[in-house]
């Protein structure tokens, strides 16, 4: 561009002199202006006329030319005297415009007046490079049919390219006669004006010229306006411009107030304008003021020109085409046609998006969009072809074949370019409605803030439009809802000895998330590569350069990883993880069960990892029994979910319900299941299965396991007493009535294991069976020297009266415990006082032992 402007500036002296007035009164043609060509074959004679003076050779062609860029809104005038009889070999051509200095060249583009030729006329011609000249005004024949032909010629060309040729054969300029008019706009630029003479040998000195005049009294006219890019205009004027005014940015205004940052004269009459912002889609207005042509003609009034701008359509990039509304469950109808649909939105400010070939898919099927375009900010609803007419009243409708059926409860929807590159992905769920009644059907899901496309549930809600949705229109829930929160790590799971899966709380900038330099693991484990998991970009897999070790806790540090909206945590993100170990029976056990919830409540099952391993619950199952058969198997989770040693997990279909009924519950321990197997109030069996269907734990319960003195068992869970004990009825007790259940934290009836140093040990020796969660029962702990003993335990009061036969002929393991809840044989509560536990122990070989232990039943007075 600099070189072009330099060339124009170098030509400026020529432009200043381009309005020609030449009568040769200075006696030469070498200056003011300067003529070039066959200079040695012309002279200025004593009458101060330009005269041919070439060699006396038949067929000679001579020329002289001088710079002139006048081309439109111009009057050319000159005097000529041909002292010869004109013919096909004796005539002159006066070039009004030419793009070449050498007027004898065959490659000229321009216009000329021919005096002479076989018809002895004065006519106007157009010359196209490499072609024979074309007559555009045929002058009257015989006007110069003598041997001394004088003619004053005047040619005008209007700003609308209307030509008129006039001649005065008296030469005085007082008697012009029109030879005709024509309209021709073929050539709009000129560089030279000049004369060409052709003669036979006798006429070498018989061509005389004088009074050359080129006058332009019209200001420049804008011929053409062209958009080159979204911020660039080309203005083409009908004639050359003065560079100083043409390159002044203040002389141009876009849409009332916007000035260009560049105003460049790329050639004599062409201006390139560059703006710092994009043109508006649709109508734009440009105003041009203060320009002048090379002859000082200034625009009397600003030129006002409107132009329509529609950029060429392009395929949408990532998040440039959005899914902003989803009607997944159309029944029962609220007000819209009974049809599933999605809504598209062009989220760009200045791009026309081309949809042809874009692939739209759900979890099971894919279709492609037809040849349609979306303007910036435009909405369109997508429906089957058969439904287009039913939705046309709402706005732009796009009909497609093989419309993917939308799942009522949710699924992953994607739009991809024809080459497979991701445009947008939405993993909607019926929880996004945030309204129980509306998710039953007839209402659409709407995006709240279309400038925050990466957000999930936080940026979607059920439509509030009375029709049930707003297809092809701005959403009824539209509001500002920016994402100002940086991402966090939700969890980290070692899915293999050399692979760690990170799950983030929101979508990431996938480029930054793929940088190895942004991660580290302590104790030091090298990271060899990163895989950012599409299409949602919330998960990252770290490929390790060395294997992890089981039962080793690692710390992962992540830094400089922004979310999709650019939010970045000010501090590095940190999380611990470990490599899961293979489980065996009894590693993860049933710790608590609520099978008889309050009215409108739901069941839950709590598991606990009582091993020293990290155990992944992915693909574990929860079941019940039908007779002796395990049945009603339900998946606990298909995702990675690692239980650390001592960690609880609460399995339920409705975490919100559990939290509302038990406010102290630990929400972070909840794991939602689609549904639990049936666990009847009277009795049932809870079965936990490992991924290979091996039994992890099993518990058969009845409602009679509850503390008999409870006024209301509904809403009270059964809790495990000892973590290391067996999963049997003796090891479970009703939760304390102060909490009713302890989902996600230590059981209210939990008791540390007591190892008896002697054969039997009572703990605690004083207890109060009042269901307050504090020493509600006592345990008779035993430790024998071998297995195979059988025990009887009978409870007597202080007067020696039998109160309860607690154990009868019970086969003992090497160690364990029995529990007394303070109830008599008839189910009534024992009185406050001292009681004797009479224990009989029988061996397989006839051994017998007797033991007496004291215990106190306490209570409130």
């Amino acid at each position: 561009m600099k070189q072009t402007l330099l060339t124009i500036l170098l030509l400026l002296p020529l432009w200043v002199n381009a309005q020609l007035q030449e009568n040769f009164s200075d006696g030469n043609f070498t200056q003011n202006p300067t003529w070039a060509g066959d200079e040695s074959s012309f002279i200025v004679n004593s009458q101060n006329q330009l005269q041919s003076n070439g060699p006396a050779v038949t067929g000679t062609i001579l020329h002289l030319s001088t710079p002139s860029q006048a081309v439109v809104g111009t009057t050319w005038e000159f005097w000529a005297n041909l002292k010869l009889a004109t013919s096909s070999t004796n005539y002159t051509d006066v070039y009004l415009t030419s793009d070449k200095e050498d007027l004898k060249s065959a490659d000229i583009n321009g216009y000329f007046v021919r005096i002479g030729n076989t018809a002895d006329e004065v006519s106007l011609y157009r010359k196209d490079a490499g072609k024979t000249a074309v007559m555009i005004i045929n002058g009257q024949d015989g006007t110069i049919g003598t041997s001394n032909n004088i003619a004053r010629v005047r040619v005008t060309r209007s700003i609308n390219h209307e030509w008129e040729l006039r001649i005065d054969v008296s030469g005085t300029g007082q008697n012009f006669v029109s030879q005709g008019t024509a309209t021709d706009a073929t050539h709009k630029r000129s560089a030279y004006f000049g004369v060409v003479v052709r003669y036979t040998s006798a006429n070498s000195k018989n061509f005389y010229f004088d009074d050359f005049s080129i006058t332009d009294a019209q200001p420049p006219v804008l011929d053409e306006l062209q958009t080159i890019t979204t911020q660039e205009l080309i203005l083409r004027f009908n004639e050359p411009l003065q560079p100083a005014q043409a390159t002044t940015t203040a002389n141009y205004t876009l849409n009332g107030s916007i000035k260009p940052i560049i105003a460049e004269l790329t050639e004599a009459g062409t201006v390139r304008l560059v703006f710092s912002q994009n043109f508006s889609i649709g109508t734009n207005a440009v105003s041009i003021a203060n320009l002048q042509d090379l002859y000082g003609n200034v625009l009397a009034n600003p030129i006002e020109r409107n132009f329509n701008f529609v950029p060429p359509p392009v395929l949408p990039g990532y998040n440039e085409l959005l899914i902003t509304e989803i009607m997944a469950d159309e029944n029962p109808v609220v007000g819209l046609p009974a049809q599933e649909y999605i809504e598209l939105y062009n989220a760009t400010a200045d791009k026309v998006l081309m949809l042809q070939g874009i692939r739209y898919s759900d979890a099971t099927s894919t279709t492609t969009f037809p040849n349609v375009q979306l303007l910036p900010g435009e909405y369109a609803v997508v429906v089957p072809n058969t439904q287009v007419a039913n939705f046309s009243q709402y706005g732009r409708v796009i009909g497609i074949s093989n419309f993917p059926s939308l799942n009522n409860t949710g699924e992953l929807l994607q739009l991809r370019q024809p080459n497979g590159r991701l445009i947008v992905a939405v993993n909607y769920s019926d929880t996004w409605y945030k309204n129980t009644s509306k998710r039953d059907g007839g209402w659409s899901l709407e995006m709240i803030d279309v400038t925050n496309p990466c957000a999930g549930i936080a940026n979607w809600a059920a439509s509030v439009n009375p029709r049930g949705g707003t297809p092809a229109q701005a959403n009824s829930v539209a509001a500002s809802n920016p994402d100002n929160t940086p991402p966090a790590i939700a969890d980290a799971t070692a899915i293999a000895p050399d692979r760690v899966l990170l799950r983030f709380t929101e979508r990431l900038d996938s480029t930054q998330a793929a940088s190895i330099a942004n991660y580290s693991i302590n104790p030091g484990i090298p990271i060899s590569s990163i895989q950012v998991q599409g299409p949602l970009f919330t998960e990252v897999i770290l490929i390790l350069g060395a294997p992890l070790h089981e039962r080793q806790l690692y710390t992962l540090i992540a830094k400089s990883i922004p979310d999709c909206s650019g939010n970045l945590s000010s501090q590095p993100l940190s999380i611990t993880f470990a490599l899961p170990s293979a489980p065996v029976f009894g590693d993860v056990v049933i710790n608590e069960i609520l099978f008889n919830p309050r009215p409108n409540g739901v069941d839950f099952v709590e598991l606990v990892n009582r091993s020293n391993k990290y155990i992944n619950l992915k693909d574990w199952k929860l079941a019940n029994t039908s007779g002796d058969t395990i049945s009603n198997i339900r998946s606990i989770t298909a995702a990675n979910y690692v239980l650390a040693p001592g960690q609880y997990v609460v399995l339920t279909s409705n975490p919100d319900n559990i939290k509302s009924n038990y406010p102290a519950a630990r929400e972070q321990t909840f794991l939602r299941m689609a549904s639990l197997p049936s666990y009847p109030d009277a009795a049932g069996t809870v079965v936990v299965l490992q991924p290979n269907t091996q039994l992890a734990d099993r518990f058969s319960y009845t409602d009679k396991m509850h503390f008999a003195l409870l006024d209301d068992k509904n809403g009270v869970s059964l809790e495990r007493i000892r973590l290391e004990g067996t999963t049997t009825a003796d090891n479970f007790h009703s939760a304390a009535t102060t909490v009713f259940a302890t989902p996600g934290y230590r059981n209210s009836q939990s008791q540390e294991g007591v190892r008896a140093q002697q054969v039997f040990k009572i703990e605690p020796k004083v207890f109060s069976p009042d269901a307050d969660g504090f020493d509600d029962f006592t345990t008779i702990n035993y430790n024998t020297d071998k297995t195979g003993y059988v025990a009887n335990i009978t409870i007597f009061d202080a007067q020696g009266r039998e109160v309860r036969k607690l154990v009868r002929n019970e086969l003992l393991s090497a160690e364990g415990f029995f529990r007394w809840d303070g109830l008599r044989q008839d189910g009534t509560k024992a009185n406050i006082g001292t009681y004797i536990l009479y224990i009989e122990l029988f061996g397989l070989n006839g051994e017998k032992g007797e033991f007496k232990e004291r215990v106190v039943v306490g209570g409130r007075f």
Side-chain angles (χ1 to χ4, degrees):
M1 297 301 179
K2 292 181 179 178
Q3 185 176 4
T4 301
L5 182 56
L6 179 59
T7 301
I8 294 170
L9 291 174
L10 289 174
L11 289 174
L12 181 56
L14 300 180
W15 291 343
V16 172
N17 297 317
Q19 190 167 14
L20 183 66
Q21 296 292 332
E22 174 66 288
N23 59 13
F24 305 102
S25 59
D26 56 1
N28 68 68
F29 55 85
T30 59
Q31 58 186 353
N32 298 323
T34 300
W35 296 75
D38 299 311
E39 297 99 323
S40 62
S41 295
F42 286 90
I43 63 171
V44 176
N45 62 27
S46 59
Q47 286 78 36
N48 290 331
Q49 298 169 340
L50 181 67
Q51 180 181 351
S52 61
N53 190 34
V57 176
T58 297
T60 297
I61 302 175
L62 305 175
H63 92 284
L64 283 178
S65 61
T66 188
S68 172
Q69 297 190 62
V71 70
V72 70
T74 301
T75 299
W76 293 266
E77 189 169 325
F78 59 91
W79 174 89
N81 182 192
L82 277 58
K83 295 182 179 182
L84 52 84
T86 61
S87 66
S88 61
T89 55
N90 290 279
Y91 59 86
T92 184
D93 292 336
V94 178
Y95 270 87
L96 311 178
T97 73
S98 171
D99 62 345
K100 298 288 190 304
E101 183 179 26
D102 183 1
L103 302 181
K104 295 186 290 186
S105 171
D107 293 328
I108 290 175
N109 289 299
Y111 298 92
F112 63 84
V113 173
R114 177 166 292 176
I115 302 174
N117 214 340
T118 55
D120 298 329
E121 61 188 7
V122 179
S123 298
L124 180 65
Y125 286 77
R126 185 187 76 236
K127 179 66 174 68
D128 303 325
K131 298 181 180 179
T132 302
V134 177
M135 183 187 293
I136 59 174
I137 296 178
N138 185 3
Q140 182 179 349
D141 293 351
T143 54
I144 51 170
T146 69
S147 59
N148 184 26
N149 301 292
I150 296 175
R152 187 173 290 272
V153 179
R154 180 182 291 171
V155 180
T156 59
R157 185 186 193 184
S158 73
I159 60 174
N160 297 318
H161 308 287
E162 299 163 339
W163 296 85
E164 182 176 16
L165 171 63
R166 299 167 64 85
I167 65 172
D168 177 0
V169 294
S170 72
T172 63
Q174 302 300 314
N175 302 295
F176 281 108
V177 176
S178 176
Q179 302 299 295
T181 60
T183 299
D184 191 295
T186 306
H187 304 309
K188 299 180 180 179
R189 292 292 179 263
S190 176
Y192 296 94
F193 171 86
V195 299
V196 178
V197 297
R198 180 189 297 268
Y199 57 82
T200 56
S201 59
N203 296 316
S204 62
K205 300 181 180 181
N206 293 335
F207 294 85
Y208 299 81
F209 303 93
D210 201 358
D211 297 337
F212 288 113
S213 172
I214 302 176
T215 305
D216 178 356
Q218 297 293 324
V221 173
L222 179 63
D223 272 348
E224 183 181 358
L225 182 152
Q226 181 182 4
T227 56
I228 303 301
T229 68
T230 59
Q231 299 179 342
E232 185 176 351
L233 281 180
I234 293 293
L235 307 179
R236 291 187 176 90
F237 291 85
N238 66 340
E239 58 181 323
L241 304 173
Q242 289 283 4
Q245 288 77 19
T247 56
T248 299
T249 57
N251 290 338
Y252 308 92
T253 307
L254 176 68
N255 294 333
S257 61
I258 305 167
K259 299 295 183 180
I261 57 175
I262 295 174
E264 180 183 36
L265 199 58
T266 58
E267 56 183 58
T270 302
V271 178
R272 172 177 172 261
L273 301 180
V274 179
F275 296 87
S276 61
Q277 63 191 74
N278 292 341
F279 303 131
S280 300
I281 304 298
T283 301
N284 293 261
V286 64
S287 177
I288 306 162
N290 301 322
L291 298 191
Q292 45 182 294
D293 62 17
L294 294 180
Y295 317 118
N297 299 304
V298 183
L299 293 176
N301 298 296
I303 296 173
E304 306 286 348
R305 179 70 63 87
N306 290 339
F307 65 94
N308 193 58
F309 178 72
V310 178
V314 296
L315 282 171
Y318 182 62
N319 278 344
E320 290 186 335
L321 178 66
L322 303 180
I323 296 174
T324 52
E325 188 172 348
I326 302 167
M327 176 65 84
D329 185 0
E330 71 278 23
N331 287 309
V333 169
V334 173
L336 295 170
Q339 173 58 51
E340 297 176 350
Y341 64 77
I342 64 168
E343 178 186 77
L344 302 181
Y345 173 69
N346 180 344
T348 71
D350 53 11
K351 294 182 181 179
V352 176
L353 299 183
M354 176 172 60
L355 272 57
Q356 185 174 20
I358 287 177
R359 302 187 311 204
Y360 162 48
S361 62
D362 65 357
T364 58
S365 60
T366 298
T367 189
T368 56
F369 290 140
N371 185 16
V372 295
Q373 299 174 4
L374 278 186
L375 296 176
E378 185 177 16
Y379 292 88
V381 61
V382 180
V383 296
N385 286 323
T386 57
Q387 290 287 327
V388 170
N390 292 335
F391 281 83
S392 60
Q393 61 181 304
Y394 304 114
R396 183 79 181 277
V397 187
I398 299 173
I400 59 173
S401 57
N402 304 316
F403 186 92
S405 178
L406 301 174
N407 293 341
N408 292 352
T409 56
E411 62 179 323
L412 176 64
L413 304 180
Q414 300 182 66
L415 299 180
R416 291 183 178 270
Q417 294 180 359
N419 62 7
R421 183 171 299 172
L422 181 68
I423 298 172
V424 71
V426 179
N427 194 22
Y428 75 93
S429 165
D430 58 3
T431 59
W432 289 16
Y433 287 96
K434 304 164 192 170
N435 183 304
T436 303
S437 62
K438 287 186 176 181
R439 74 177 175 183
D440 289 337
W443 298 87
S444 72
L445 283 171
E446 295 182 345
M447 183 182 284
I448 298 170
D449 188 345
V450 295
T451 67
N452 182 18
C454 296
I457 186 172
N459 198 36
W460 288 76
S463 176
V464 295
N465 187 285
R467 295 193 307 262
T470 55
Q473 301 169 8
N475 290 341
S476 61
V477 299
S480 176
N481 186 34
D483 175 12
N484 298 318
T485 305
I489 302 176
D491 56 60
T493 307
I495 55 177
D498 64 344
R499 279 170 167 73
V500 179
L501 173 63
L502 303 181
R503 188 169 58 86
F504 288 79
T505 54
E506 54 182 315
R507 299 190 191 189
L508 305 177
D509 178 327
S510 58
T511 301
Q512 293 299 316
S515 173
I516 294 177
N518 292 338
Y519 305 90
S520 62
I521 297 176
N522 294 311
I525 297 288
I527 301 171
S528 59
S529 62
I530 307 290
Q531 297 175 352
V532 183
Q533 304 297 291
L536 298 177
F537 304 124
T538 57
E539 295 183 341
V540 176
I541 295 178
L542 309 183
I543 312 300
L544 308 182
L548 301 167
H549 301 287
E550 292 185 14
R551 308 185 195 194
Q552 167 71 58
L553 191 64
Y554 295 91
T555 300
L556 180 137
I557 305 294
K559 61 182 181 178
S560 302
I561 304 176
D563 63 17
C564 176
S565 300
N567 299 306
L568 180 65
S569 175
S570 59
Q571 299 295 324
L573 306 177
S574 175
I575 195 168
T576 58
F577 70 96
L579 177 64
S581 301
V584 297
F585 177 81
D587 281 347
V588 176
V589 295
I590 299 163
N591 194 53
E592 185 176 0
I593 176 173
L594 179 68
F595 56 84
N596 53 338
R598 296 166 180 160
N600 300 316
V602 295
D603 294 352
F604 74 77
V605 174
E606 180 187 78
L607 307 180
V608 63
N609 179 4
R610 66 179 185 180
S611 74
N612 63 355
K613 305 173 183 177
Y614 292 85
I615 296 175
N616 194 346
L617 295 186
K618 180 181 180 181
D619 297 328
W620 282 48
K621 305 292 191 300
L622 195 62
N624 59 19
T625 58
S626 177
D628 295 330
T629 303
I630 295 175
S631 61
N632 297 310
I633 298 174
R634 303 280 193 276
S635 173
I636 291 177
T637 177
N640 293 293
Y641 193 98
V642 176
L643 278 185
Q647 184 179 348
Y648 303 98
V649 62
V650 179
L651 310 178
T652 179
S653 62
N654 192 335
D656 293 339
N657 184 280
I658 298 298
K659 181 65 178 176
S660 65
N661 279 283
Y662 307 98
R666 305 293 191 267
E667 292 180 83
Q668 62 269 31
T669 67
F670 291 174
L671 182 56
R672 179 192 292 271
M673 294 176 56
S675 64
L676 269 63
S678 174
Y679 296 122
D681 289 358
T685 300
V686 181
V687 179
V688 183
L689 299 174
Q690 298 173 20
N692 58 5
T693 71
Q694 294 295 309
L695 185 66
D697 199 18
R698 175 175 178 148
F699 176 51
S700 294
Y701 67 87
T702 72
D703 63 348
K704 298 186 183 304
M705 293 181 185
H706 276 298
F707 184 49
L709 299 183
L710 286 175
D711 293 332
D712 184 0
K713 300 174 183 177
N714 289 328
V716 179
S717 69
L718 283 178
E719 295 181 332
R720 192 182 197 93
I721 298 172
R722 292 191 182 172
L723 193 61
E724 73 278 4
T726 57
T727 308
T728 57
D730 287 340
N731 199 19
F732 281 78
H733 192 278
S734 299
T737 54
T738 55
V739 292
F740 300 101
T742 55
Y745 62 102
R746 180 184 172 91
N747 291 346
S748 62
Q749 303 294 8
S750 176
Q751 184 186 84
E752 299 294 335
V754 177
R755 186 172 182 83
Q757 299 300 315
Q758 64 273 17
V759 177
F760 291 96
K761 181 177 181 181
I762 310 303
E763 186 68 32
K765 292 186 178 295
V766 178
F767 72 102
S768 53
D770 54 9
D772 66 352
F774 180 75
D775 292 340
D776 284 337
F777 53 87
T778 190
T779 55
I780 303 100
N781 303 279
Y782 63 85
N783 183 14
T784 63
D785 56 358
K786 61 181 178 179
T787 60
Y789 285 108
V790 175
N792 291 325
I793 301 177
T794 307
I795 301 172
F796 295 91
D797 64 16
Q799 286 74 41
R801 293 172 294 192
E802 182 178 303
V803 174
R804 184 171 177 179
K805 292 181 173 63
L806 185 65
V807 174
R808 282 292 176 269
N809 299 320
E810 187 76 26
L811 182 62
L812 305 184
S813 57
E815 61 179 347
F817 74 96
F818 296 103
R819 172 174 56 87
W820 183 37
D821 56 9
L823 299 184
R824 299 173 178 272
Q825 193 71 33
D826 63 2
T828 61
K829 182 179 178 181
N831 294 328
I832 296 173
T834 301
Y835 292 83
I836 303 298
L837 304 178
Y838 175 63
I839 306 170
E840 299 174 285
L841 195 64
F842 304 96
L844 295 176
N845 298 317
E847 305 96 326
K848 181 177 179 181
E850 295 182 353
F851 305 87
K852 293 181 180 179
E853 298 289 341
R854 188 185 302 272
V855 68
V856 176
V857 175
R860 296 186 180 90
F861 291 96

